[in-house]
Amino acid sequence: MENKPYIPLVERETIITYNEMEKNANVYTMNKALSTKLNRMARECPTLVKFVKEHQDGALEYTVPKKCVKVNKPVVLTDEQREKKRKLINAVREG
């Protein structure tokens, strides 16, 4: 196993790039959770999601369809809405 250099958390980046012409995006990431998700997607959908390479710094690179890249508006709940959701989740858990 190779010794990977220590990278401070503030420098462990995820960079997603794409252009208007191509239908795929490039994902360069050092994020373990995202890497795990992309690995699973590459196994389950090999014609769409592809592992490109592992970089010397430990980052992994993938190509994914641009439609997989999403930016969503944050959900802001009032205290009342949050309490209602909490009760609903507890009711579902209890069965």
Side-chain angles (χ1 to χ4, degrees):
M1 180 191 252
E2 288 182 39
N3 285 337
K4 294 178 186 166
Y6 172 75
I7 310 286
L9 291 177
V10 72
E11 293 180 19
R12 295 183 197 175
E13 299 177 322
T14 295
I15 302 169
I16 301 171
T17 56
Y18 58 87
N19 60 54
E20 295 297 319
M21 187 174 135
E22 296 172 306
K23 55 185 168 184
N24 288 325
N26 183 273
V27 181
Y28 166 100
T29 187
M30 293 180 159
N31 182 280
K32 186 157 178 70
L34 182 56
S35 296
T36 299
K37 184 176 185 175
L38 289 166
N39 274 323
R40 185 176 58 251
M41 289 170 64
R43 283 193 313 274
E44 293 174 4
C45 308
T47 59
L48 298 174
V49 179
K50 300 203 182 305
F51 172 74
V52 176
K53 71 178 188 174
E54 182 173 357
H55 293 265
Q56 286 183 342
D57 60 7
L60 301 176
E61 188 174 339
Y62 299 85
T63 58
V64 301
K66 285 194 298 191
K67 65 183 176 182
C68 291
V69 178
K70 305 279 185 215
V71 177
N72 297 314
K73 178 179 149 188
V75 176
V76 180
L77 299 176
T78 65
D79 290 340
E80 183 179 310
Q81 291 169 319
R82 198 173 299 112
E83 180 64 17
K84 189 175 180 179
K85 276 190 168 232
R86 187 188 66 75
K87 287 180 181 178
L88 181 62
I89 290 170
N90 285 339
V92 169
R93 285 181 182 160
E94 292 172 2

